[in-house]
Amino acid sequence: QVQLVESGGGLVQAGGSLRLSCVASDRTFIYKMGWFRQAPGKEREFVAAISATGRSTYYADSAKGRFTISRDNAKNTVYLQMNSLKPEDTAVYLCAIGGRATLTSKEDEYDYWGQGTQVTVSS
């Protein structure tokens, strides 16, 4: 079973930036990886996904132009660079791994999940 550990969350002012990291316990180069987020009282929502090779990416509309997903397979790590943060980006951010190749926002296409890291954006 693959374990995922996120880090990099914190408190930042609106307009600021954060870089989240997610380290996997096993080799990840055969998996797509994704970031999701869940705000208090809201359903979990998709943020971004990246293919096994890193050549393809897929973003939620809310993330386009502000967030960048990337990966370093040599380090079993996926990153989420978040710029121009807004208060509505406040949430617990979770990374996930999926065995199927197709990039998707569907949660059931991801097999393993991390515990998440808190991101709080103040106005």
Side-chain angles (χ1 to χ4, degrees):
Q1 184 167 346
V2 179
Q3 294 184 337
L4 304 171
V5 179
E6 302 93 337
S7 62
L11 174 64
V12 63
Q13 288 188 330
S17 299
L18 283 174
R19 188 194 194 204
L20 306 183
S21 300
C22 173
V23 180
S25 61
D26 200 351
R27 296 181 299 171
T28 60
F29 62 89
I30 58 174
Y31 300 107
K32 68 171 178 281
M33 299 185 77
W35 285 97
F36 291 74
R37 66 186 183 186
Q38 187 164 19
K42 295 187 177 181
E43 293 187 353
R44 187 181 300 174
E45 65 175 359
F46 169 76
V47 177
I50 189 167
S51 64
T53 62
R55 294 194 186 104
S56 298
T57 56
Y58 175 50
Y59 293 94
D61 288 343
S62 59
K64 287 179 183 177
R66 298 189 301 128
F67 295 0
T68 302
I69 188 171
S70 61
R71 65 190 297 163
D72 184 341
N73 286 339
K75 297 181 180 180
N76 296 341
T77 301
V78 64
Y79 304 98
L80 186 67
Q81 177 67 44
M82 304 187 296
N83 299 327
S84 302
L85 283 162
K86 306 174 182 179
E88 50 264 44
D89 294 318
T90 294
V92 174
Y93 283 71
L94 307 98
C95 69
I97 281 181
R100 299 182 183 90
T102 304
L103 296 185
T104 177
S105 61
K106 297 179 180 179
E107 293 184 30
D108 59 6
E109 292 283 330
Y110 293 85
D111 305 303
Y112 299 104
W113 294 78
Q115 294 296 310
T117 184
Q118 176 70 47
V119 171
T120 303
V121 184
S122 63
S123 57

